[in-house]
């Protein structure tokens, strides 16, 4: 795996406030204070696919809101999640499981760099929370028809799955129930913009959780 | 009001595929197909604020029953919506109402330019659909604390309030005040990222909007009586 200094995907980087309303930092600060107030068993960390998950009622059935925290921020890439977890979002808590779902927003990075970023996060979580298990979710396919990003995401999953196989404190979980249909397309019934999941898409994914546990 | 050719927010522009999976064009193509398949009474068009509404229960409960189509596309500016409407998303449909909600993503433009872009879209809609009512939704405040984008969006709303009546057929609905607490903050219970609405946040908007739409749709009592026979 690439050394931290030469892999931008594995270098903790906060998000710049380019729009002018400080929303990214507001969300990070909120998450840090939630760590002081709550005692979660499970923490979800990642991008919009994590963040939106908890807006859909079906997930409230799976994980009680009292015992899990959602630290997803839309648009985040691995380096942003790395920064957040290095700056307070793992402090004062001792969850049993950290669920990590990130990588699809790492535009401009290679699959190797993205996988390196994900593994850097896994290592950080293990350093801060030696008793927690990290569940890394596979990056989903995207785009209505086959395209380079699907190939990149599939390669990331392969590399991450390989790297995790030798670890006892972390494991890989493929939550894709088969979003890519036989003709290679993804349906808008599953991903309304061919990236973000509909309630139906999250439901299909939820079934994968049930078959695993 | 700025002339269209001087206002960059009123220049139609598609979104470039920078990420590499062509999702913007795929969505636009799908919307054009929906124009062929459906006979909507209500058309919603705009950015993610419109698009996300369709993902929650509120859409099924309040807007689907009105025979509504949703052409919201995340990230869109007034330029992008203008391009989509000029390039197929108004073909073969004759909705009675169009709900337009766009402008919060126009980061490169001033409040005057953004309001001008919204008016240009409303103008296009009244030209193409002379019998339709256009409901323009005010831009919501954003950010957890007071910040320049809140001021900008509020300025856009003030301009719309004074410019839209000149168009006729156009109504303005602004629920911005419902979201700002006495200490000036916006709650994550209403906007999970201080921009996008939660299901609870949409409920605040949905009731007055739904009431307004029902009022407009009921304005043609002859057609309504005929459809009940």
């Amino acid at each position: 795996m690439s050394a931290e200094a030469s892999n931008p995907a594995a270098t903790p980087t906060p998000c710049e406030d380019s729009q002018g309303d400080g929303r990214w930092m507001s969300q990070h600060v909120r998450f840090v204070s939630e760590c002081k107030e709550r005692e979660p068993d499970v923490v979800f960390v990642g991008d919009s696919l994590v963040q939106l998950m908890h807006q859909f009622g079906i997930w409230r059935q799976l994980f009680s809101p009292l015992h899990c925290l959602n630290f997803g921020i839309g648009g985040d890439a691995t380096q942003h999640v790395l920064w957040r977890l290095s700056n307070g979002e793992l402090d004062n808590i001792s969850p049993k499981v950290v669920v990590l779902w990130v990588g699809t927003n790492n535009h401009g990075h290679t699959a190797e760099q993205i996988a390196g970023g994900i593994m850097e996060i896994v290592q950080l979580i293990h350093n801060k929370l030696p008793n927690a298990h990290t569940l890394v979710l596979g990056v989903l396919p995207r785009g209505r028809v086959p395209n380079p990003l699907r190939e990149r995401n599939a390669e990331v999953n392969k590399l991450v799955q390989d790297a995790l196989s030798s670890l006892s404190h972390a494991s890989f979980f493929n939550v894709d129930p088969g979003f890519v249909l036989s003709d290679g397309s993804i349906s808008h019934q599953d991903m309304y913009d061919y990236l973000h999941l509909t309630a139906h898409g999250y439901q299909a994914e939820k079934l994968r959780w049930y078959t695993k546990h | 009001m700025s002339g269209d050719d001087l206002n960059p927010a009123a220049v139609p522009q598609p979104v470039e595929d920078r990420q590499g999976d062509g999702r913007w064009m795929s969505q636009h193509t799908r919307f054009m197909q929906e124009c062929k398949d459906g006979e909507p009474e209500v058309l919603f068009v705009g950015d993610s604020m419109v698009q996300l509404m369709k993902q929650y229960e509120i859409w099924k409960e309040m807007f689907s029953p009105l025979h509504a189509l949703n052409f919201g596309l995340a990230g869109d500016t007034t330029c992008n919506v203008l391009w989509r409407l000029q390039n197929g998303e108004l073909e073969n449909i004759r909705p009675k109402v169009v709900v337009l909600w766009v402008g919060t993503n126009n980061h490169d433009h001033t409040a005057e330019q953004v309001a001008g872009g919204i008016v240009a879209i409303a103008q296009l809609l009244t030209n193409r659909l002379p019998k339709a009512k256009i409901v323009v939704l005010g831009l919501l405040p954003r950010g957890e604390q007071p910040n320049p984008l809140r001021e900008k969006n509020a300025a856009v709303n003030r301009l719309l309030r004074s410019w839209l009546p000149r168009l006729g057929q156009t109504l303005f609905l602004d629920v911005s005040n419902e979201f700002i607490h006495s200490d000036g903050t916006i709650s994550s219970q209403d906007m999970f990222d201080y921009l996008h609405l939660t299901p609870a946040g949409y409920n605040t908007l949905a009731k007055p909007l739904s009431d307004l739409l029902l009022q407009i749709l009921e304005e043609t009592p002859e057609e309504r009586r005929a459809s009940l026979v």
Side-chain angles (χ1 to χ4, degrees):
Chain A
M1 227 44 79
S2 356
E4 207 191 282
S6 58
N7 182 3
T11 308
T13 313
C15 222
E16 264 184 59
D17 179 22
S18 55
Q19 294 177 355
D21 54 10
R23 297 184 305 106
W24 190 87
M25 195 52 77
S26 295
Q27 292 170 82
H28 167 64
V29 166
R30 182 174 98 231
F31 297 159
V32 171
S33 71
E34 283 179 26
C35 284
K36 297 188 185 124
E37 294 159 14
R38 310 268 289 270
E39 287 174 9
D41 289 328
V42 186
V43 177
F44 288 81
V45 171
D47 54 31
S48 58
L49 285 164
V50 172
Q51 189 167 37
L52 279 173
M53 194 191 291
H54 287 233
Q55 300 307 316
F56 292 103
I58 44 159
W59 279 91
R60 285 197 278 274
Q61 299 161 21
L62 196 67
F63 293 113
S64 156
L66 297 175
H67 298 292
C68 91
L69 291 181
N70 184 316
F71 291 172
I73 296 187
D76 265 18
T78 55
Q79 63 271 23
H80 305 124
V81 171
L82 203 46
W83 188 93
R84 293 197 279 121
L85 297 182
S86 306
N87 286 273
E89 288 182 24
L90 291 178
D91 295 354
N92 305 304
I93 53 173
S94 38
K96 300 193 180 82
V97 184
V98 177
V99 181
L100 174 64
W101 204 13
V102 68
T104 200
N105 295 321
N106 279 65
H107 298 297
H109 299 158
T110 63
E112 288 75 18
Q113 287 174 325
I114 300 170
I118 292 170
M119 293 313 295
E120 192 68 26
I121 297 170
V122 171
Q123 184 62 54
L124 174 73
I125 295 170
H126 185 58
N127 293 345
K128 288 214 167 221
L129 303 170
N131 298 321
H133 188 88
T134 299
L135 200 53
V136 180
L137 304 189
V139 189
L140 293 180
R142 50 186 287 173
R144 197 184 73 79
V145 294
N147 64 82
L149 289 186
R150 283 206 203 163
E151 291 158 32
R152 183 203 69 178
N153 285 1
E155 181 64 18
V156 168
N157 290 343
K158 198 155 136 306
L159 291 167
V160 169
Q161 189 164 16
D162 284 346
L164 289 173
S165 59
S166 58
L167 301 179
S168 58
H169 58 84
S171 45
F172 181 82
F173 184 29
N174 175 18
V175 288
D176 181 357
F179 287 128
V180 178
L181 307 175
S182 53
D183 65 354
S185 72
I186 287 177
S187 165
H188 68 275
Q189 313 270 19
D190 291 323
M191 295 184 188
Y192 59 87
D193 62 354
Y194 312 107
L195 171 62
H196 295 101
L197 296 170
T198 59
H200 182 262
Y202 276 116
Q203 182 78 35
E205 223 200 48
K206 192 180 82 149
L207 294 176
R208 291 275 305 163
W209 287 88
Y210 279 136
T211 58
K212 174 167 176 82
H213 295 110
Chain B
M1 217 173 305
S2 19
D4 281 354
D5 49 4
L6 298 173
N7 182 3
V11 175
Q13 237 163 37
V15 169
E16 261 185 62
D17 179 24
R18 289 209 194 89
Q19 295 176 355
D21 54 8
R23 297 184 306 105
W24 191 87
M25 196 51 77
S26 295
Q27 293 170 82
H28 168 61
T29 304
R30 184 174 93 232
F31 295 156
M32 288 196 288
Q33 187 60 46
E34 287 181 32
C35 283
K36 298 192 185 115
D37 299 338
E39 284 175 14
E41 302 233 300
V42 186
L43 173 66
F44 283 73
V45 67
D47 53 29
S48 61
M49 306 301 289
V50 173
Q51 188 166 37
L52 200 53
M53 201 188 305
K54 190 177 175 189
Q55 306 314 316
Y56 295 154
E57 283 303 305
I58 196 90
W59 184 263
K60 270 200 223 100
E61 282 167 20
M62 290 195 138
F63 301 111
S64 259
L66 304 180
H67 304 289
L69 283 186
N70 186 312
F71 290 176
L73 229 172
D76 266 17
T77 63
T78 53
C79 307
N80 308 137
V81 169
L82 206 44
W83 189 93
R84 292 197 281 121
L85 293 175
Q86 288 180 351
N87 287 273
E89 289 183 22
L90 290 177
E91 296 298 313
N92 303 307
I93 55 171
R94 271 200 300 277
K96 298 199 176 88
V97 194
V98 180
V99 179
L100 173 63
W101 202 11
V102 67
T104 201
N105 295 321
N106 280 59
H107 296 298
D108 294 341
H109 304 140
T110 65
E112 289 74 17
Q113 289 171 332
V114 178
I118 293 168
V119 168
I121 298 171
Q123 184 70 73
L124 170 77
L125 290 168
T126 55
N127 292 346
R128 292 286 300 266
L129 303 166
K131 297 207 176 96
K133 284 274 199 322
I134 316 300
V135 175
V136 176
L137 299 184
L139 303 187
L140 293 185
R142 49 186 288 172
E144 191 190 17
Q145 313 279 356
N147 65 83
L149 287 187
R150 282 211 205 162
E151 289 157 36
K152 181 181 171 191
N153 283 3
V156 171
N157 291 342
R158 275 195 301 275
L159 290 165
L160 289 176
R161 217 178 275 279
S162 83
W163 291 351
L164 287 175
R166 299 179 210 175
L167 283 184
Q169 293 294 100
T170 306
L171 300 159
F172 184 64
L173 176 61
D174 181 23
V175 297
S176 297
N177 291 332
E178 308 283 333
F179 292 105
I180 303 178
H181 291 234
S182 51
D183 63 356
T185 63
I186 287 176
S187 164
S188 60
Q189 307 284 345
D190 287 325
M191 295 184 187
F192 57 84
D193 62 354
Y194 311 108
L195 172 62
H196 296 103
L197 296 167
T198 60
Y202 274 113
N203 281 335
T204 302
L205 164 69
K207 188 74 183 38
L209 178 57
S210 165
D211 286 348
L212 181 56
L213 292 178
L214 287 170
Q215 213 181 310
I216 296 170
L217 293 171
E218 242 123 73
E219 268 166 15
T220 54
E222 296 90 345
E223 283 157 78
R224 187 138 294 262
R225 277 197 288 274
S227 75
L228 291 173
V229 166

